[in-house]
Amino acid sequence: MRSDTAFAVFVVGALLMFFSFVFDAPLIFYVIGGLMTVGAVAAGTTRRRAGPPPDVTLRPGGGDRPWRKPRDQ
């Protein structure tokens, strides 16, 4: 599941829980909204990257950055 889809499911679940609270809906709507939000968070955290790791990272470091190394030509 893409992160945009997971975010949309999270928002719909949160809105369902909010409106269930405001309009004093039955407990089943709270359960459905809670399961949607938890499922969306779980889908977002278990998503894996595809492809090789990036060449440049944003971690702090000195000489390990590729643009600071002299080129051998």
Side-chain angles (χ1 to χ4, degrees):
M1 185 175 352
R2 292 183 46 204
S3 63
D4 295 339
T5 307
F7 180 70
V9 171
F10 177 82
V11 169
V12 169
L15 286 174
L16 182 62
M17 287 177 33
F18 175 74
F19 286 119
S20 298
F21 177 75
V22 170
F23 295 115
D24 198 25
L27 182 64
I28 189 68
F29 291 110
Y30 289 106
V31 172
I32 292 171
L35 289 175
M36 288 175 72
T37 56
V38 168
V41 170
T45 58
T46 59
R47 194 175 142 202
R48 297 183 182 193
R49 283 184 188 257
D55 293 334
V56 178
T57 61
L58 298 177
R59 283 181 264 153
D64 292 339
R65 299 196 178 196
W67 57 85
R68 292 192 180 164
K69 292 182 181 179
R71 292 186 183 186
D72 296 324
Q73 293 182 357

